[in-house]
Amino acid sequence: MRYDVAVIGGGPSGAVAAAILAKAGLSTVLIERNFDNVKPCGGAIPLGLIEEFKIPAELIEKKLSRMKARSPKGRVIDMTMPNGYVGMVRREKFDRYLRVEAEQAGAVVVEGLVKSISHSGEGFVINTLNDKVPPLRASRIIGADGANSKTADELHFPPNELKVIAMQQRFKYTPSIQKFSDIVEIWFDGEVSPDFYGWIFPKADHLAIGTGTEDHKHNIKALQKRFIEKIGITDKPYLDEAAKIPMKPRKSFTQEKAILVGDAAGLVTPANGEGIFFAMRSGKLGALAMIEHLKHGSPLKNYEKEFRKLYAPIFFGLEVLQAAYYRNDRLRESFVAICADDDVQRITFDSYLYKKMIPASWPVQMKIFSKNIYHLIKGS
Ligand SMILES: Cc1cc2nc3c(=O)[nH]c(=O)nc-3n(C[C@H](O)[C@H](O)[C@H](O)COP(=O)(O)OP(=O)(O)OC[C@H]3O[C@@H](n4cnc5c(N)ncnc54)[C@H](O)[C@@H]3O)c2cc1C
């Protein structure tokens, strides 16, 4: 049998894509290397995503509307989202749920690590390391296999350039760390991360604490250790996890017969490292373009055009922000100072929750612009 589409990788981007393809009546196979995979991830997702993909309430372990930003000198800005919340999910449950949704929609879900993809006639042949899975034939491919995408390598897509390495540890709640259970904390502190940030994300029964860095990858364990010491936690973690975050879209993530979605395409925003929203949105946009392509012959390139049209301004804005403010502790100090402004908080939260650039009035724009200039000069 030849499938219409093979989706490689059963994380959020692949599972969403497979469900949409199958619902549209295309024969779809979803190939995941390990059904028990635990993706290293903070699991923070915005309200807009929960609403759009109708994520069931039982998967949202916490709804957090308070957030603290901490500066290198220990200044703390306590912020409250007036119109929404960050939802905390646990990836092992979340990914499994999305794969079940894909299966219920009619996709064939198989377990196997994809080791090679070759062109064959009008389509592809995919081989996995699982002896029980025969070579799979498909007319089209969606590569959803994460930052180190095998699909991208096998099909010669341009490289995933910018990669942060991120480490996270999970701590069961004990009386001494219970105080962190209701608030998101973001640490902008060069000792915790010289070029990214550290986070404390509360889940139902544990705290997830992590940090990331682009230029100090060899030092990631020492940075994480220092972070835990600074927070004052003496408990032992029950899980250590680490993975790469690709924070720049590939130069191109579509070909004539194949596309990449999610981390495989590099679709994680700079500055905050947010990827689940863009994984699921790109999975959806990619699948819709694939349906148009297979049913009406439209080019797959439309997917990439649509994604860039919707999200390139957000990627650009956050890239500028990271380049401007994450360079040293004086600039990070200024960045946290700017976060104290009510208008900055409102615009940031509204944009985060629904990924739409919310226009501000001219006086507000001028005020924020002047504050930025003042702080950038001061910090430099
Ligand atoms: C430490 C850390 C913390 C993060 N925190 C957040 C956060 O709080 N919020 C947020 O929005 N984003 C966060 N991210 C980013 C987020 O995890 C990713 O952007 C998101 O998981 C991308 O989804 P995906 O489906 O594209 O890829 P993935 O989630 O990486 O899924 C890829 C899937 O493909 C499978 N696979 C890989 N290779 C093969 C193969 N050869 N054959 C078959 N299957 C294969 C994998 O097993 C996996 O299931 C974080 C990342 C890290 C590393």
Side-chain angles (χ1 to χ4, degrees):
M1 139 158 212
R2 188 162 81 181
Y3 291 97
D4 292 320
V5 188
V7 181
I8 300 173
S13 60
V16 162
I20 294 172
L21 294 167
K23 265 186 211 149
L26 296 178
S27 61
T28 306
V29 60
L30 175 64
I31 312 163
E32 165 55 40
R33 72 174 163 196
N34 177 6
F35 288 162
D36 296 323
N37 186 42
V38 182
K39 163 80 187 182
C41 183
I45 56 174
L47 176 59
L49 179 89
I50 295 169
E51 289 175 352
E52 179 177 354
F53 290 92
K54 301 189 175 50
I55 306 301
E58 62 269 22
L59 284 180
I60 312 297
E61 298 203 342
K62 294 253 176 191
K63 296 177 178 178
L64 299 167
S65 50
R66 269 185 73 207
M67 181 188 283
K68 279 183 188 170
R70 187 180 290 263
S71 79
K73 287 186 185 159
R75 177 176 183 184
V76 177
I77 309 293
D78 203 329
M79 301 174 271
T80 304
M81 286 182 211
N83 306 317
Y85 59 84
V86 185
M88 288 292 167
V89 298
R90 195 181 297 213
R91 287 294 300 274
E92 47 276 37
K93 287 188 189 166
F94 187 69
D95 292 15
R96 197 173 303 128
Y97 162 80
L98 294 173
R99 281 197 295 272
V100 169
E101 287 279 287
E103 196 160 22
Q104 285 174 352
V108 174
V109 182
V110 301
E111 191 172 28
L113 178 85
V114 169
K115 65 167 190 205
S116 72
I117 304 170
S118 50
H119 291 268
S120 159
E122 274 302 285
F124 302 90
V125 179
I126 301 147
N127 285 293
T128 71
L129 280 184
N130 186 347
D131 296 341
K132 292 184 193 124
V133 176
L136 297 160
R137 295 173 187 281
S139 301
R140 300 291 181 266
I141 283 187
I142 296 186
D145 42 353
N148 301 316
S149 171
K150 182 76 176 163
T151 312
D153 290 349
E154 292 284 286
L155 300 181
H156 307 295
F157 278 88
N160 238 347
E161 287 164 26
L162 192 79
K163 286 185 191 152
V164 157
I165 183 110
M167 175 166 181
Q168 182 172 270
Q169 292 178 304
R170 299 188 192 185
F171 298 83
K172 288 269 177 227
Y173 286 123
T174 56
S176 64
I177 59 173
Q178 195 67 36
K179 60 178 183 249
F180 296 103
S181 64
D182 283 317
I183 188 160
V184 169
E185 285 202 28
I186 303 291
W187 286 47
F188 297 99
D189 178 341
E191 290 190 354
V192 169
S193 170
D195 48 7
F196 199 58
Y197 65 84
W199 65 88
I200 307 177
F201 287 175
K203 303 295 175 80
D205 67 354
H206 71 271
L207 266 190
I209 302 179
T211 185
T213 175
E214 188 189 336
D215 290 336
H216 300 260
K217 295 189 176 79
H218 56 283
N219 224 5
I220 184 79
K221 279 190 180 167
L223 291 169
Q224 173 72 7
K225 187 165 173 278
R226 195 174 306 138
F227 189 19
I228 302 296
E229 282 164 8
K230 280 192 145 197
I231 300 169
I233 290 183
T234 49
D235 306 68
K236 291 264 170 285
Y238 74 92
L239 183 71
D240 289 7
E241 45 193 351
K244 285 179 193 158
I245 312 183
M247 293 205 308
K248 196 174 176 73
R250 291 185 195 250
K251 284 214 169 64
S252 155
F253 43 94
T254 38
Q255 294 178 354
E256 208 186 320
K257 294 182 186 172
I259 61 173
L260 302 176
V261 293
D263 277 19
L267 306 180
V268 181
T269 38
N272 64 4
E274 188 187 0
I276 303 173
F277 174 89
F278 297 101
M280 292 172 74
R281 284 294 289 151
S282 62
K284 181 171 176 179
L285 293 174
L288 293 176
M290 188 62 85
I291 294 164
E292 280 300 301
H293 169 67
L294 287 173
K295 293 196 170 170
H296 307 292
S298 53
L300 282 177
K301 213 58 196 163
N302 289 351
Y303 149 61
E304 186 169 336
K305 273 192 205 156
E306 177 73 3
F307 187 90
R308 290 191 192 273
K309 190 171 91 191
L310 287 170
Y311 301 119
I314 295 181
F315 275 72
F316 176 73
L318 289 172
E319 195 175 344
V320 171
L321 188 144
Q322 179 169 353
Y325 282 111
Y326 287 17
R327 278 176 291 150
N328 62 47
D329 270 356
R330 266 181 303 163
L331 286 162
R332 273 187 278 267
E333 197 66 41
S334 301
F335 179 61
V336 174
I338 291 180
C339 293
D341 185 292
D342 287 345
D343 287 315
V344 170
Q345 287 180 25
R346 186 177 49 77
I347 293 168
T348 308
F349 287 140
D350 285 351
S351 315
Y352 167 73
L353 289 172
Y354 289 99
K355 299 293 171 288
K356 291 200 172 94
M357 297 293 225
I358 309 292
S361 64
W362 271 109
V364 170
Q365 286 189 39
M366 286 314 294
K367 181 186 76 175
I368 294 174
F369 179 73
S370 344
K371 275 196 176 179
N372 269 294
I373 297 297
Y374 166 76
H375 281 294
L376 280 172
I377 293 170
K378 193 174 156 211
S380 298

